[in-house]
Structures are given as C-alpha cells and as structure tokens.
Amino acid sequence: MIKHYFNKVGIYISIIQALVLLYSILCSIDYYHKKEVIATTHPIFIKRDQIISRGGNRNGVTINILYNNKKYYVGISHSQESDIENTPLYYDVERDQVFTNSETIYSIIVPWSTFLLSFFLWIAIRKRKKYIWAIDSNPSLTPIVVESRCYCTF
C-alpha cells in the first residue's frame, strides 16, 4: 500500500501540495502584515479627481489612483465603486502599496482552501477494486474482483 503512494503520480502530487503550502504560508504572512497596517495606520480617503483610470471584471474593479504623487493600483468591489469617496484605503509604508480592507480576507481564505482541497488528489489515484458481475451457468450472479490503477499523465 505504501509503495503505491510513492509512485510517479504520488511524487507529482506531493510537489504540488508543497508548492501550494508554501504559497499559503506566504499569503498568510502578507495577510497578517496587512492586518497590522490596518490596525496601526489611519485610513485615507480619495476624491474622484485622484482617480486616473478604472477597469473592471465580474469580481470587482481595479482603479488607478494618484496618492503622494505616485500611481497605485487598488482592487475594490463593485459596491465600493459607487461610494469611492467613503471607502477607506490604507497605505503601507514598508511595501509602498495602497489596499482596501475588503481584499485582505480573500488573501488568506483562497490559498488555504486550495491547500486543503489538494488532499482530494490522493483519492483520485488510490487503488480501486472494480467488481465485474459475470453470469455463469447458474442464474446467480457471482462477482469477479479486478484490480485497477488510476494512471494520470502529466
């Protein structure tokens, strides 16, 4: 049984999980840093004339703002776009970036959820027993056990 999990596909899954775990840890560090910035700094509010450009997709809006004579890209939700002047933004001096409070929670939920879901890859490659029902001369059905493996190609 252990030999099965250390085959070629198992090594690929282990590498994928290690990379997703590393990414999740880095996102957690970024999340806690942003929470610290939010707790220690005062929010900034922008005016409509500070918005240089905006672009959007179905998940939200990206605005290009001018703050301290520098351009910053900030992701906001569609509901915040209509009331942009009352949306609190935070400036991180160490990393020289501007962000909103709403984008910080997704930076920790999505990577850790992806890491936890990656364990289902092990279920996809486990050894399965398939039962083939054969009809012999008797009217009763007898199962025949056939072992099969799930091979994935990369």
Side-chain angles (χ1 to χ4, degrees), residues 122-142:
W122 289 106
I123 294 173
I125 66 161
R126 76 173 195 264
K127 192 182 254 188
R128 295 191 174 118
K129 292 184 178 181
K130 293 184 180 177
Y131 293 97
I132 299 174
W133 294 91
I135 300 175
D136 55 345
S137 59
N138 294 333
S140 65
L141 299 174
T142 57

Side-chain angles (χ1 to χ4, degrees), residues 34 74-76 97-108:
K34 285 183 179 180
V74 181
I76 59 172
Q97 67 181 18
V98 177
F99 60 92
T100 62
N101 190 12
S102 64
E103 71 184 32
T104 58
I105 192 66
Y106 295 111
S107 64
I108 196 168

Side-chain angles (χ1 to χ4, degrees), residues 17-138:
Q17 282 187 312
L19 292 174
V20 172
L21 177 63
L22 178 68
Y23 179 71
S24 299
I25 291 170
L26 292 175
C27 287
S28 295
I29 292 169
D30 184 53
Y31 169 76
Y32 287 113
H33 176 74
K34 285 183 179 180
K35 279 190 69 148
E36 182 182 331
V37 169
I38 290 171
T40 58
T41 61
H42 295 289
I44 57 173
F45 296 96
I46 61 168
K47 296 182 174 65
R48 295 241 180 231
D49 59 347
Q50 289 177 293
I51 298 175
I52 299 170
S53 64
R54 71 180 73 203
N57 55 25
R58 65 179 184 187
N59 297 331
V61 179
T62 303
I63 57 172
N64 189 1
I65 64 168
L66 186 65
Y67 179 72
N68 288 342
N69 296 323
K70 287 183 79 175
K71 294 179 183 178
Y72 296 99
Y73 288 96
V74 181
I76 59 172
S77 65
H78 287 291
S79 62
Q80 290 174 331
E81 180 188 17
S82 60
D83 194 21
I84 191 67
E85 292 179 352
N86 293 326
T87 302
L89 301 174
Y90 298 93
Y91 177 68
D92 185 3
V93 178
E94 286 180 28
R95 297 182 181 173
D96 192 32
Q97 67 181 18
V98 177
F99 60 92
T100 62
N101 190 12
S102 64
E103 71 184 32
T104 58
I105 192 66
Y106 295 111
S107 64
I108 196 168
I109 291 175
V110 173
W112 285 107
S113 300
T114 306
F115 175 68
L116 293 176
L117 288 174
S118 71
F119 283 100
F120 286 109
L121 292 173
W122 289 106
I123 294 173
I125 66 161
R126 76 173 195 264
K127 192 182 254 188
R128 295 191 174 118
K129 292 184 178 181
K130 293 184 180 177
Y131 293 97
I132 299 174
W133 294 91
I135 300 175
D136 55 345
S137 59
N138 294 333

